[in-house]
Amino acid sequence: MEIKYTDGQAIEAAIRKLVLDAPDLSSSVSIASSHYADWAIRYHLCCERANLLRPFNFSGLDVLEIGGGMGGLSRYLAEQAQSLTTVEGAGSRYAVLQSRLRGLNNWTGILSNFNDIRLDRKFDVICIVGVLEYAEIYTNTPEGSLKSPFHHFLKRAWSLLKDDGILLVAIENKLGLKYWNGAVEDHANELFTGIAGYPLYKSAKTFSRQEMVRMLRDEGAKSIDEFFTFPDYKIPSCVLSRSFTARYPEIATELACYRPFESYTSPRKPFFPDVLALHNLAKSGLFDEFANSFLFLASRNKNSLCRRRFLGENNELEELAWHFSSSRREPTETVFYSRWDNRLYIEKRRFANGKKSACFGGNEFFWGAGNPQYLNPHPKLSLALANRAYFQDWRAVSEMLTGFLAWSFRHWQHPTEPCALLGSALDAIATNATIPGDNREPFELFDLEWRSGSPVEKSWFLLRNLACLSTHRDVLFSECPMRTLRALYEALCVHFNIDAQFDRDILREAGFQAAVS
């Protein structure tokens, strides 16, 4: 039996046409990205959706997806798994899902409310992504039952799982930091709805971390692997394990706040900087409780072969976190992992083996970040700058920023061109800098992804640093005495006796970004 659920007939018809017209339906491609001003189109068609699942190994597994929607995750699952069975309750969405999966022959679709279907097989993995929160609306509980519809929904899902299988559940956190800080609740479109406990009538409802863990254990989970996705599970740019957030809270904070937290259906006006609040929560051991979204892998047996394969567990290294740059011409993932020596390493990997160079304005840029690199968990320069700026200690901000730039100019000085740096300085910018504090070098760098085939002029390098720091623009620039990027750029050029060419450097930076993304 179908369910009545829609984003609106007009928008769903538009999405179906965009999918039908798309020349490439693969999960690594964003379909019709010029239409992403509309949230529904962006949500259903952007390639970032699949980042939620990219850390895991679906190869050789039979997967059941409950709530396939318009195929945003179904496409990735069908590409990766041995087989996919996807259930979708709304006919209009199911029609788009069928179009999205055309060309693949390892999948079966079922148009029905999940609670009404009967299956005669069990699965290695069952995916419940953005679906559990609606169980109260679409699940009828047996008469006299003391358990909630959410428990009954999970119990039914468990019944279709193999003994060594994995239940994958992604859902928003009703106590997520963004909900405390100016974002409306994603389903109710009102401030503080989840934080206040939701209305008593039937509605979409989400849960805190401890509520979710308790509910999964109530329905049979013996082992639960926890992950946290930011900005949320809908369009994630990173997936962080619980082990990672506990061991490396500062790096976890930077990754989590790399992209702004969004309020998708109405404007958001934050009360405080997300990055500073999350960093303080992380240092207090509360990062996990205030994550915007959860991703749980629940199983009956922690030592099952299926779980170990799915997580890619081995004795040589432990993958802890993943950061994705999906919008680039050559999408990449940055993997953080530890080895037998218990140190943290970082490695960039491409989704596919594409070109390792890009060109703009007669200059060639080379991608050379494929080798593992040891990462010291020292304080991040960008976080230190954000903290000083929030408390309007502009002298300290100036000293730290000019100190880093002066060090960079010395460290990367071109031997024959006084106004230029070596091409390898291209990515040696403030967001890739840590502060060791051990009286050796004042800064350490990591994640140096790109280098330039020709010298990098100091004025452009200076602009690149200001542009990268705009990730924290709500802190660094909102109350800055230099009220514009240009004013700050020109003041720094005067400080370092550099010829300011703002318009040219802006075009250079835009050209470089266009060449690589």
Side-chain angles (χ1 to χ4, degrees):
M1 181 177 178
E2 289 189 41
I3 64 173
K4 294 181 180 180
Y5 185 92
T6 179
D7 288 316
Q9 292 182 351
I11 195 65
E12 289 189 352
I15 292 172
R16 186 178 186 187
K17 185 176 188 310
L18 291 171
V19 171
L20 287 170
D21 292 344
D24 188 345
L25 295 166
S26 63
S27 61
S28 60
V29 173
S30 285
I31 299 171
S33 58
S34 61
H35 296 262
Y36 286 3
D38 190 297
W39 160 238
I41 294 177
R42 178 186 172 202
Y43 173 68
H44 290 294
L45 300 185
C46 74
C47 67
E48 285 89 348
R49 291 286 308 283
N51 291 344
L52 181 76
L53 305 177
R54 294 189 195 280
F56 310 112
N57 179 17
F58 289 88
S59 177
L61 301 179
D62 297 316
V63 178
L64 171 65
E65 180 189 26
I66 303 174
M70 297 191 185
L73 293 178
S74 313
R75 181 75 195 198
Y76 180 80
L77 290 169
E79 291 171 353
Q80 300 297 319
Q82 177 172 275
S83 72
L84 170 66
T85 301
T86 182
V87 180
E88 170 52 41
S92 58
R93 296 158 76 90
Y94 183 76
V96 181
L97 184 151
Q98 289 178 301
S99 298
R100 186 73 183 271
L101 293 179
R102 67 181 185 266
L104 301 176
N105 57 16
N106 64 332
W107 71 283
T108 301
I110 301 172
L111 173 58
S112 174
N113 183 330
F114 168 67
N115 298 288
D116 297 332
I117 65 172
R118 296 293 178 265
L119 296 171
D120 58 1
R121 58 178 299 199
K122 295 194 175 185
F123 299 86
D124 298 300
V125 181
I126 297 179
C127 294
I128 306 172
V129 178
V131 172
L132 179 63
E133 51 265 47
Y134 296 98
E136 189 175 58
I137 302 173
Y138 299 110
T139 302
N140 293 320
T141 58
E143 187 174 347
S145 174
L146 298 178
K147 288 192 172 183
S148 72
F150 305 99
H151 284 83
H152 284 283
F153 184 94
L154 288 174
K155 182 177 182 178
R156 173 144 173 72
W158 273 112
S159 72
L160 296 171
L161 196 65
K162 292 179 181 178
D163 287 342
D164 65 345
I166 295 164
L167 192 70
L168 184 154
V169 182
I171 190 170
E172 301 94 340
N173 176 11
K174 74 176 185 182
L175 302 180
L177 179 61
K178 77 172 189 176
Y179 291 148
W180 296 92
N181 196 21
V184 297
E185 204 273 351
D186 284 359
H187 307 94
N189 197 28
E190 294 178 354
L191 287 170
F192 311 125
T193 297
I195 292 170
Y198 291 108
L200 296 179
Y201 56 78
K202 290 183 178 180
S203 66
K205 292 181 172 66
T206 60
F207 305 92
S208 69
R209 176 188 156 270
Q210 295 187 42
E211 287 172 329
M212 278 299 306
V213 168
R214 188 161 53 246
M215 190 155 47
L216 289 167
R217 293 202 183 281
D218 286 347
E219 298 309 318
K222 302 300 183 187
S223 170
I224 301 175
D225 296 286
E226 298 182 47
F227 300 86
F228 310 99
T229 60
F230 286 89
D232 51 38
Y233 82 81
K234 297 179 179 69
I235 306 184
S237 63
C238 69
V239 178
L240 313 176
S241 69
R242 193 171 187 214
S243 177
F244 185 78
T245 62
R247 290 156 63 181
Y248 307 106
E250 189 156 283
I251 301 173
T253 298
E254 278 281 305
L255 292 174
C257 297
Y258 183 80
R259 276 200 8 221
F261 300 167
E262 295 186 64
S263 187
Y264 297 113
T265 54
S266 60
R268 174 186 178 225
K269 187 176 181 180
F271 307 122
F272 47 79
D274 293 319
V275 67
L276 295 183
L278 188 59
H279 185 220
N280 199 33
L281 290 167
K283 290 192 298 181
S284 303
L286 295 171
F287 184 103
D288 305 353
E289 309 299 333
F290 288 89
N292 289 331
S293 289
F294 305 126
L295 173 60
F296 297 102
L297 305 183
S299 55
R300 297 186 180 97
N301 181 3
K302 184 175 183 178
N303 296 316
S304 76
L305 180 61
C306 180
R307 176 188 168 277
R308 291 177 63 86
R309 278 189 56 205
F310 190 69
L311 288 168
E313 286 189 354
N314 62 61
N315 295 325
E316 296 181 2
L317 60 86
E318 178 188 9
E319 294 191 354
L320 299 169
W322 301 261
H323 179 264
F324 301 95
S325 299
S326 308
S327 60
R328 295 183 174 182
R329 295 182 190 275
E330 303 288 345
T332 63
E333 63 173 340
T334 305
V335 183
F336 297 78
Y337 61 89
S338 64
R339 289 178 173 170
W340 58 268
D341 58 6
N342 207 33
R343 300 206 303 177
L344 182 64
Y345 293 84
I346 179 174
E347 182 179 348
K348 264 195 163 55
R349 303 169 185 170
R350 295 200 169 205
F351 290 1
N353 293 322
K355 295 190 299 182
K356 292 192 174 183
S357 65
C359 295
F360 170 74
N363 191 12
E364 191 167 12
F365 305 102
F366 299 93
W367 188 82
N371 297 321
Q373 181 183 355
Y374 169 59
L375 178 58
N376 268 317
H378 297 312
K380 293 290 299 292
L381 173 60
S382 54
L383 266 177
L385 285 167
N387 175 271
R388 305 304 192 280
Y390 181 70
F391 293 103
Q392 299 194 28
D393 186 354
W394 297 111
R395 174 175 290 183
V397 171
S398 175
E399 290 175 353
M400 294 176 74
L401 184 55
T402 56
F404 174 73
L405 290 169
W407 175 81
S408 300
F409 292 159
R410 293 192 305 271
H411 194 78
W412 304 97
Q413 179 62 55
H414 194 277
T416 60
E417 299 189 30
C419 295
L421 306 176
L422 297 171
S424 50
L426 185 66
D427 259 358
I429 49 182
T431 47
N432 293 336
T434 63
I435 307 171
D438 54 11
N439 297 320
R440 291 183 292 178
E441 290 285 348
F443 303 100
E444 285 187 359
L445 295 162
F446 67 97
D447 199 20
L448 304 186
E449 185 177 1
W450 290 92
R451 63 180 176 85
S452 172
S454 57
V456 176
E457 290 199 26
K458 290 180 179 179
S459 63
W460 180 29
F461 179 82
L462 193 155
L463 180 81
R464 277 183 60 70
N465 274 275
L466 298 182
C468 80
L469 288 171
S470 66
T471 303
H472 303 318
R473 59 189 174 274
D474 56 332
V475 188
L476 287 169
F477 301 125
S478 61
E479 300 294 335
C480 180
M482 302 293 180
R483 297 307 298 271
T484 67
L485 177 69
R486 182 170 195 146
L488 184 54
Y489 164 88
E490 290 176 346
L492 287 170
C493 284
V494 170
H495 178 86
F496 288 105
N497 195 27
I498 295 172
D499 183 20
Q501 300 188 59
F502 182 77
D503 293 336
R504 182 202 62 181
D505 289 333
I506 280 285
L507 289 174
R508 277 185 175 176
E509 182 62 18
F512 169 69
Q513 295 296 336
V516 302
S517 61

